[in-house]
Amino acid sequence: MSLPPEPPLYAWILSLNRIPSYEEYQLCFQCLDDPSRAKVTELVRDGRKDEAWACLCGRLLPHIVMNQRQIPPRAWYIRGNEDGAKPAIVSLGYDKKLGYNVARHGQVVAMAFALGPGPAVANVGCDVRRVASPPKVPLSIFVESLSHKITDLERSFLFGQPDDVILRRLFILWTMKEAYLKAIGQPLHLGIAWDRIECDIPNETILVDGSKLRGWEFRMFVANVTTTPKDEMYQVTCAIHRGGDKTKFFWNHGQKSAVLDSWLRFLTVDSIMDAVWQLPYEHIINARG
């Protein structure tokens, strides 16, 4: 008896390449559930308007995904766990569930998701980081500040490399660990010893507390996006638990790049607004006339 096919894993990369108009912002804001509206409003009140817009977009993406899969709003809702670390979509009366995770950094919002039987899509994680050290901070100081997040083996991958290679490898390690932690529902704000996770990149192996991680799939790629005011490079990692004995790595270079083309989609504010206008919400229907 053959096993059922694995649910495809998809990734959307949204570049916040322009500021929305007031009307666009309100149209999107009214799509959100009450907890999401409260979070966005809190960020605005704190004077973090750019972060509020990114947060709004991240919480809007699941609405667009569900609409494009023709699941009506009355048939689903977003449920967060008690500490809010990993929200999940509950879709009543549908065999297929949407497992997803959203990450944001700088001017990019990333979403990884899979549609399939609940257990097969329960553990999906995503992380994105701009590949750059903080302004006016020497690279050596920046790397040292992250020493608690990496193991001696991981640090050996950085020795003697050009600055751009060090940064890229550092953020591959960073995003892999965060994507995994988010996939298993570990609340990042509660803290965890990151060096409990060791990523042996050359051998495509991950150890957690000294034991080999099995049954996972990791997809790593660079997103070169046009943001305001310049082009930027972001490292993205998506993770999903597949089961079985092996853990697989997929990269976006060399012969493996074709694997990514079918599941990776790049979005802009304009394309998001086009999708928002198609949502079957009362305020949007009224606005369309």
Side-chain angles (χ1 to χ4, degrees):
M1 181 177 177
S2 60
L3 295 175
E6 295 177 338
L9 179 67
Y10 298 97
W12 286 3
I13 308 300
L14 169 59
S15 168
L16 303 177
N17 61 319
R18 68 170 177 85
I19 299 173
S21 67
Y22 175 81
E23 291 76 14
E24 289 174 327
Y25 190 96
Q26 290 302 316
L27 197 72
C28 296
F29 182 80
Q30 292 178 55
C31 295
L32 304 183
D33 55 24
D34 289 342
S36 295
R37 292 186 190 186
K39 179 61 178 178
V40 171
T41 300
E42 177 187 346
L43 292 171
V44 172
R45 288 174 177 168
D46 288 345
R48 299 149 67 185
K49 293 184 178 180
D50 289 345
E51 190 173 348
W53 173 231
C55 177
L56 191 162
C57 288
R59 297 188 180 222
L60 182 65
L61 288 178
H63 295 257
I64 296 173
V65 171
M66 295 299 278
N67 184 54
Q68 292 188 355
R69 275 135 188 86
Q70 300 181 336
I71 301 178
R74 65 180 180 277
W76 66 275
Y77 63 94
I78 298 176
R79 179 186 65 198
N81 58 17
E82 60 186 19
D83 50 35
K86 186 173 173 56
I89 287 181
V90 178
S91 49
L92 307 176
Y94 284 81
D95 293 335
K96 289 187 175 181
K97 309 298 182 183
L98 181 74
Y100 79 99
N101 194 233
V102 175
R104 51 189 170 85
H105 191 238
Q107 298 298 308
V108 165
V109 178
M111 177 180 180
F113 62 94
L115 191 68
V121 299
N123 299 106
V124 176
C126 179
D127 194 48
V128 58
R129 291 285 157 179
R130 186 166 64 93
V131 182
S133 56
K136 300 181 180 180
V137 177
L139 180 57
S140 59
I141 301 299
F142 178 55
V143 172
E144 183 60 30
S145 72
L146 299 175
S147 60
H148 63 291
K149 293 180 179 287
I150 57 179
T151 68
D152 290 341
L153 175 66
E154 293 167 341
R155 195 174 291 108
S156 71
F157 303 148
L158 310 179
F159 290 151
Q161 300 296 326
D163 287 359
D164 60 331
V165 174
I166 292 175
L167 276 175
R168 174 78 195 286
R169 291 183 178 182
L170 185 63
F171 284 108
I172 288 173
L173 293 168
W174 184 323
T175 57
M176 287 183 71
K177 294 187 181 190
E178 282 220 13
Y180 167 71
L181 291 171
K182 293 170 72 177
I184 63 174
Q186 170 67 35
L188 299 180
H189 66 275
L190 297 182
I192 185 173
W194 281 40
D195 57 4
R196 290 170 55 189
I197 306 169
E198 182 171 78
C199 302
D200 185 349
I201 302 298
N203 293 307
E204 298 193 347
T205 300
I206 298 177
L207 300 179
V208 178
D209 292 332
S211 298
K212 189 174 181 180
L213 190 67
R214 302 180 188 276
W216 285 80
E217 177 180 305
F218 290 87
R219 301 196 175 201
M220 285 73 65
F221 60 95
V222 168
N224 295 299
V225 300
T226 300
T227 61
T228 303
K230 60 181 180 179
D231 292 347
E232 294 178 326
M233 177 189 295
Y234 287 80
Q235 176 64 42
V236 186
T237 296
C238 302
I240 183 171
H241 184 252
R242 295 295 197 187
D245 189 56
K246 296 182 178 180
T247 287
K248 301 177 182 178
F249 288 30
F250 294 96
W251 305 85
N252 72 327
H253 60 76
Q255 297 178 352
K256 299 180 181 179
S257 60
V259 176
L260 294 168
D261 293 342
S262 62
W263 71 283
L264 181 59
R265 181 179 176 188
F266 288 90
L267 307 171
T268 64
V269 173
D270 286 344
S271 59
I272 285 295
M273 291 311 307
D274 288 343
V276 167
W277 278 109
Q278 302 304 315
L279 294 176
Y281 298 153
E282 184 176 356
H283 72 283
I284 294 177
I285 295 172
N286 292 337
R288 290 201 302 257

